[in-house]
Amino acid sequence: WLGYEYVVFATQEWKKHELSYDTKNMLEISGVVEPWFNGADFEINKRKHSKKNPQKNPCTLLFMARMSNYKGFDIFMRLSKLFPDYKFIAAGGCTTYDPKTRIMTSGSKTYDLSGYDNLEYVGVVSGKAKRRLLASVSALIQPTRYFEPCGLNAIEAQLSGTPVIVSNCGGYRNTVCHGKTGFLCNLDRYCVMDEEDYDGDLSDWEKVLREREYNRLNGRYIRNRAM
């Protein structure tokens, strides 16, 4: 940020992260302005789940980002293998996708979805289709593997009353209230090369999904806090 007189950050966590690298410039007096959304633009998730028996509830999990390892798509694929009875939906951009072979390329990375029967790729979604999708799933999963400055999709999901399951780093720490609007889950390491698949511990993520803890969260509270 050297050379800038003033910088506006989207979250306190992002500002603190950048200050850890350089405190000798104007970053110290720079401000934080959180992203603004019109709550009326978002559809409300009308999930009707049993809080007493969350294991019996249907489960549809959404990944919404570019298909890449730094966004955690490899982790999303791995979770779909661990939970074959759940439905996993991936929405976002890639370089190429062949629906017959289910081979996807994204930059220099190739993903083979042919062995993932419970994982559906729906491509890029936007506008009403995006808002409808965010409001129709059990939870949004964003296992980001780098310092996410803010995480806009997580905010949009919460504005829909949809719980989020995200990495315990970056702006998510400011936008997600652990145990109330979603869950902050740990990874062994972050900031890896995009071509490197994550082979570390996923116990935090597995626990949330196995016990379906997100079904116990109050959708109205989630939306109100996001507002």
Side-chain angles (χ1 to χ4, degrees):
W1 303 104
L2 289 174
Y4 290 93
E5 291 187 359
Y6 195 84
V7 180
V8 176
F9 295 100
T11 59
Q12 288 286 353
E13 284 289 332
W14 188 19
K15 179 179 179 180
K16 183 169 64 176
H17 177 72
E18 294 301 325
L19 279 172
S20 68
Y21 289 105
D22 183 8
T23 59
K24 298 180 181 179
N25 56 27
M26 299 299 287
L27 290 183
E28 292 179 340
I29 63 169
S30 295
V32 175
V33 179
E34 296 176 347
W36 184 88
F37 297 91
N38 185 350
D41 289 341
F42 294 87
E43 297 187 21
I44 306 303
N45 197 320
K46 298 181 180 179
R47 298 174 300 131
K48 293 183 179 180
H49 295 316
S50 169
K51 295 182 179 180
K52 293 182 179 180
N53 298 296
Q55 288 79 7
K56 296 183 179 181
N57 296 324
C59 182
T60 303
L61 302 166
L62 174 66
F63 173 91
M64 186 174 283
R66 181 166 179 79
M67 304 299 118
S68 62
N69 280 7
Y70 74 89
K71 284 290 189 179
F73 184 54
D74 59 318
I75 294 174
F76 187 73
M77 292 176 64
R78 184 173 156 189
L79 289 171
S80 74
K81 279 289 190 182
L82 293 172
F83 296 91
D85 295 333
Y86 297 3
K87 182 177 181 180
F88 288 73
I89 299 175
C94 65
T95 305
T96 64
Y97 179 68
D98 185 335
K100 293 183 178 180
T101 63
R102 303 196 71 202
I103 299 296
M104 173 190 294
T105 65
S106 185
S108 60
K109 182 68 177 177
T110 298
Y111 299 101
D112 184 354
L113 306 186
S114 61
Y116 297 80
D117 296 336
N118 61 331
L119 196 162
E120 178 185 7
Y121 175 62
V122 298
V124 177
V125 293
S126 59
K128 290 184 178 180
K130 177 181 181 180
R131 294 191 288 270
R132 191 175 301 118
L133 183 58
L134 284 169
S136 68
V137 297
S138 304
L140 174 77
I141 295 185
Q142 301 289 178
T144 306
R145 296 172 61 192
Y146 74 106
F147 193 98
E148 184 75 69
C150 183
L152 299 180
N153 287 336
I155 298 175
E156 292 176 315
Q158 291 173 91
L159 284 168
S160 306
T162 298
V164 296
I165 307 168
V166 297
S167 299
N168 186 17
C169 73
Y172 292 136
R173 291 182 176 180
N174 291 141
T175 62
V176 179
C177 184
H178 182 74
K180 292 186 177 181
T181 70
F183 298 92
L184 297 165
C185 297
N186 293 305
L187 296 173
D188 288 346
R189 62 188 186 280
Y190 299 90
C191 300
V192 298
M193 297 297 292
D194 195 38
E195 291 77 13
E196 180 187 351
D197 290 338
Y198 179 80
D199 60 359
D201 180 58
L202 290 177
S203 57
D204 280 0
W205 308 79
E206 291 179 49
K207 180 178 183 297
V208 171
L209 296 190
R210 183 176 58 254
E211 300 181 7
R212 306 196 188 193
E213 296 180 3
Y214 44 83
N215 283 337
R216 298 187 179 95
L217 304 184
N218 186 300
R220 182 177 299 177
Y221 177 85
I222 293 172
R223 174 175 165 81
N224 288 342
R225 185 178 185 278
M227 291 285 286

